[in-house]
Amino acid sequence: FLSTITINNMNIKRLVVVFVVMFSAFCVSAQKSLEVYIDDTTGTPTNIRSAPNGKIVGSLPDTCIYMLDIKNPQNGWWAIDDNSVFGICSTDTTFDFSNKCKTAWIHYSVLGFSTRNYGGQRYVLFSQPSEKSAENFAFTEEIGLRPLDFKKGWVYVETYDKKHRGWIQLENICANPLTNCC
């Protein structure tokens, strides 16, 4: 009888471990937002809209550095994750557009992140979100990228010069404009 209880306790412990591992994997693969920074080269405030290509509901002055979380890409537009816009100005600032619209939107052309190949590692933009797919573009220098889509640990991107598009693993990008994410 005691050996049966021990086996059952061991089975329960194993089940708990398996459940925790499975839940952790689900959380990683079910990522709902993507971290980016604003890299708007127009020299004017960055517009925030009520819908993709909709009414302007606010703008972010170009005198600050902004980081934010984006989600739900739609034809070049990204929904801004609730209250995630953080500006580094003379004083740190957070921005809340919820009083002006249900969901705030921003265009991909003003968003960016850089690659993490600081030591000259070879990185690749793939044709599909898989290392087994065709290589669209390979590079060894750190470059800036703009997000177009993302899924399951991969981000579909465009290079700043708009010459190359492809999928890169999420772990190979840095969404902090002030550090190198090492």
Side-chain angles (χ1 to χ4, degrees), residues 105-173:
W105 292 83
I106 192 165
H107 195 259
Y108 90 94
S109 64
V110 298
L111 303 174
F113 39 71
S114 61
T115 57
R116 299 176 77 158
N117 54 337
Y118 312 120
Q121 301 91 325
R122 182 178 187 271
Y123 277 10
V124 174
L125 299 184
F126 291 96
S127 63
Q128 298 295 319
S130 166
E131 289 182 332
K132 294 179 181 178
S133 67
E135 294 184 5
N136 287 354
F137 177 61
F139 53 97
T140 56
E141 70 282 352
E142 178 185 350
I143 62 172
L145 300 168
R146 300 203 187 276
L148 297 167
D149 198 359
F150 77 111
K151 62 181 170 184
K152 298 181 184 175
W154 289 82
V155 185
Y156 188 61
V157 296
E158 177 179 82
T159 56
Y160 276 15
D161 63 9
K162 298 184 178 185
K163 291 182 180 179
H164 307 282
R165 285 187 173 190
W167 291 91
I168 190 169
Q169 291 174 313
L170 187 59
E171 65 195 34
N172 292 335
I173 61 171

Side-chain angles (χ1 to χ4, degrees), residues 50-71:
S50 61
N53 213 23
K55 178 183 169 191
I56 296 171
V57 294
S59 61
L60 301 172
D62 63 346
T63 56
C64 302
I65 297 170
Y66 301 97
M67 292 174 278
L68 61 153
D69 294 337
I70 55 175
K71 61 184 179 181

Side-chain angles (χ1 to χ4, degrees), residues 33-92:
S33 65
L34 178 66
E35 295 176 1
V36 296
Y37 52 82
I38 293 184
D39 195 359
D40 188 345
T41 58
T42 62
T44 60
T46 301
N47 291 328
I48 306 299
R49 299 179 182 266
S50 61
N53 213 23
K55 178 183 169 191
I56 296 171
V57 294
S59 61
L60 301 172
D62 63 346
T63 56
C64 302
I65 297 170
Y66 301 97
M67 292 174 278
L68 61 153
D69 294 337
I70 55 175
K71 61 184 179 181
N72 303 332
Q74 294 181 19
N75 298 320
W77 293 89
W78 289 85
I80 298 173
D81 210 1
D82 298 335
N83 302 320
S84 73
V85 180
F86 178 75
I88 301 170
C89 306
S90 54
T91 58
D92 292 345

